[in-house]
Amino acid sequence: MFPTLQLGPLAIQTPGLILLLALWLGLALAEKRSARHGVHPETLYNLTFAFLIAAALGGRLVYALRFPSAFAASPLNLLSLNIGLFDPWGAAFVGLLGALWYGRRKRLTLWPTLDALTPALAVLALGLGLSHLASGDAFGAPTTLPWGLELWGEVRHPSQVYETLAATGILLYVVFRKPAGEGRLFLEFLAASAGARLFLEAFRGDSFLLPNGWRVAQVAALFILGAALILRERRPAR
Amino acid sequence: MKIKQPLFPALRIAAILLAGLAWIVLSAAPADAPAERLPAPRAGFPAPPFSLPALSGETLSLSDLRGQVVVLNLWASWCPPCRAEMPALQRAYADYRDRGLVVLAVNATDQDSLEDATAFVRQNGLTFPVLLDERGEVGRLYLLRSLPTTFFIGRDGLIREVVVGGPMSEALLRTRIKTLLEETP
C-alpha cells in the first residue's frame, strides 16, 4: 500500500492523486466519444465542473451546519482546504442538484448525456479500485487462500485487486460496446457495476452488516441492479 | 411451450435477481465471526499499544488511557506544519481535558533533536504529555510516512480517523474531538 508519495518536503496523498488522474483521463475518453451520443464535448466538462463546484460548496456548508460552534470559533476555517471538513452526503446531494440545474439550463437530454458520461464513470471506477489499493481501504476478509495478501495484521483477500479487475472488465465493455439505444450504455454500466459490487462485497472485511449478517452494500447493489435491468428493458433499442 | 417474447426478459431479470439474493444469503457474515480485530494503525482498528518516556521523565502507556479520548499526534520540531498546528492542539487540550481528552504528542526523536524539541515545547507552553520516540518504535508501529500524522482514538481504544499531513485546521480538530467526547461508551 502506498498512501503517500514523498517528493522532497511535499507529502502527496496518493489515493487522491489517483482519483484526480482518473477524472482527467475519464473526461478525456468521454470527450472523444461524446459525438456518437449527440453531446458536445464542452458540455461534459461544464457539467462535471458544475457538479464539482456545487459539491464543494454543499459539502462544506452542510458540515458547517452540523458543527456551527467549531466554525464560529474560527470562521476562516470555512475556506480551509482540509478535506476532512466536507460532509460527503451533503457534497453528493448538492453536487447532483448543481448538475441538474446546469442540465436544465442547457436543455440537455437525460439519457444521451448519461451515455456520454459513462466512459468517464467507468474510468473513475477503475481509479477508485487503484486508490483503494494505494490506501489499504476497502480491505478484504481474512483468508487462507494462496493469493491472500498480508494487510492490517492478517492475511486477507486482495479485495482491492478484485475491485480493480472488475472495473477494468467493465471499462473494456463500455469502450467496445457497439452503439445501442439511448440510455442503454449507462444502464448496462450501472447494472454491471452493481452486479460486481454484489458479488465482490462477500470478500470484504469492512462491510456494514444488518442484524442477520447480510451486508448492507450487497442489498443496496441488488436494488440498483434490479432497477437498472428493468429500466434498460424499457429503453428502445437502436 | 414457447415462452412469449415479452415474458422472456422479465424471467431473465427475475432469475438474475434471485441468484443475487441467494448469493447475499450464502455469503452472509457468520454469527460466530470474531468481534475484535488485531491492532493496526487505521480507522476501525484497535490502536497499537506502546509505552514511551515523557519529557517530564515518567513513562506513559497508551493502554493506561483507555476510557479517555486520545489525540495521538506524531511530530518533529523541524517540521513546519507540525509546529503550525501545535497551538490549536494546546487550545483544544485546555478546553476539553476536563471532559476526558488527552493529547499525546509523540516526538519522532529518532529524526529530531531532543534540545530543539524541548525548546519548542517550552516556547509554546505546551502542557499535554510529550513523549519521546527515541528508537522510532512508534513510528514503525504506526507506519509513519509523513509528518505530522494524527490519530483520533475513541474511549474504546479504537482508531476513528487518521489525518496524514497538516496543519490540521482548528475546526477539524474540534469537530472530531467533540464527536468522540459525545460518544456513549
Side-chain angles (χ1 to χ4, degrees):
Chain A
M1 306 297 139
F2 308 99
T4 49
L5 195 62
Q6 201 73 35
L7 294 173
L10 211 58
I12 298 169
Q13 310 277 359
T14 326
L17 182 64
I18 290 171
L19 284 174
L20 269 173
L21 272 171
L23 180 64
W24 178 55
L25 289 169
L27 280 174
L29 178 64
E31 177 198 16
K32 279 187 167 34
R33 305 164 72 93
S34 60
R36 63 181 73 182
H37 305 288
V39 176
H40 196 278
E42 212 177 279
T43 302
L44 289 181
Y45 283 104
N46 293 341
L47 187 64
T48 306
F49 288 138
F51 172 83
L52 288 174
I53 290 170
L57 289 172
R60 180 54 55 84
L61 257 166
V62 171
Y63 193 90
L65 285 170
R66 285 176 58 201
F67 300 102
S69 55
F71 288 88
S74 345
L76 279 178
N77 281 169
L78 280 168
L79 305 172
S80 165
L81 295 177
N82 263 182
I83 205 99
L85 294 173
F86 285 96
D87 182 279
W89 291 108
F93 179 68
V94 178
L96 265 170
L97 286 181
L100 278 169
W101 170 81
Y102 178 81
R104 286 195 70 134
R105 230 177 102 95
K106 296 293 177 185
R107 299 178 197 281
L108 300 179
T109 42
L110 178 68
W111 292 114
T113 307
L114 286 173
D115 283 342
L117 279 171
T118 299
L121 295 173
V123 175
L124 256 179
L126 175 55
L128 188 63
L130 291 171
S131 83
H132 285 157
L133 206 49
S135 66
D137 287 345
F139 54 87
T143 185
T144 51
L145 291 171
W147 57 81
L149 292 178
E150 180 153 352
L151 183 63
W152 310 128
E154 292 190 74
V155 175
R156 300 176 180 276
H157 278 283
S159 51
Q160 302 98 336
V161 175
Y162 300 160
E163 182 186 350
T164 303
L165 287 173
T168 305
I170 293 170
L171 173 61
L172 289 172
Y173 176 81
V174 165
V175 165
F176 291 109
R177 174 78 162 92
K178 285 191 172 56
E182 287 178 1
R184 285 195 156 217
L185 181 64
F186 171 73
L187 290 167
E188 286 165 13
F189 163 76
L190 194 62
S193 303
R197 184 66 189 263
L198 193 155
F199 179 69
L200 295 175
E201 183 73 15
F203 305 105
R204 293 264 293 252
D206 63 342
S207 305
F208 283 111
L209 301 175
L210 292 170
N212 61 358
W214 290 12
R215 297 164 205 268
V216 172
Q218 282 183 308
V219 175
L222 187 68
F223 277 103
I224 293 170
L225 172 63
L229 288 174
I230 290 167
L231 282 172
R232 182 195 170 276
E233 283 307 317
R234 289 172 178 224
R235 299 302 309 158
R238 188 173 283 188
Chain B
M1 185 185 78
K2 196 173 167 187
I3 296 168
K4 287 189 184 165
Q5 196 62 21
L7 203 53
F8 186 68
L11 285 175
R12 191 176 57 204
I13 292 172
I16 291 171
L17 295 180
L18 269 170
L21 184 61
W23 178 244
I24 290 174
V25 172
L26 274 169
S27 61
D32 58 352
E36 281 255 344
R37 288 176 172 153
L38 294 173
R42 66 162 286 122
F45 284 73
F50 62 84
S51 292
L52 285 178
L55 212 53
S56 53
E58 58 185 339
T59 298
L60 221 145
S61 296
L62 182 63
S63 51
D64 293 341
L65 302 174
R66 183 66 77 94
Q68 296 185 271
V69 167
V70 177
V71 175
L72 176 63
N73 178 260
L74 279 64
W75 70 287
S77 64
W78 50 259
C79 151
C82 303
R83 298 166 70 95
E85 65 185 15
M86 281 299 189
L89 280 164
Q90 176 60 38
R91 284 192 293 272
Y93 179 65
D95 287 347
Y96 293 112
R97 68 182 291 189
D98 292 339
R99 289 177 57 185
L101 171 72
V102 175
V103 173
L104 277 187
V106 173
N107 175 257
T109 324
D110 60 320
Q111 47 175 305
D112 196 359
S113 146
L114 181 57
E115 291 73 31
D116 291 345
T118 311
F120 178 80
V121 169
R122 200 175 31 245
Q123 281 157 17
N124 288 272
L126 305 179
T127 58
F128 44 74
V130 175
L131 307 184
L132 305 173
D133 190 17
E134 284 163 328
R135 288 194 300 265
E137 162 198 331
V138 171
R140 277 189 299 278
L141 205 53
Y142 280 77
L143 299 179
L144 180 65
R145 285 189 169 80
S146 176
L147 286 169
T149 300
T150 308
F151 298 82
F152 291 87
I153 304 170
R155 295 180 196 275
D156 53 4
L158 295 184
I159 297 174
R160 291 293 193 281
E161 187 170 349
V162 182
V163 177
V164 178
M168 276 186 300
S169 67
E170 188 148 357
L172 179 78
L173 195 52
R174 285 178 180 269
T175 53
R176 296 305 191 263
I177 290 169
K178 214 163 160 288
T179 304
L180 286 179
L181 287 172
E182 285 168 3
E183 269 180 9
T184 42

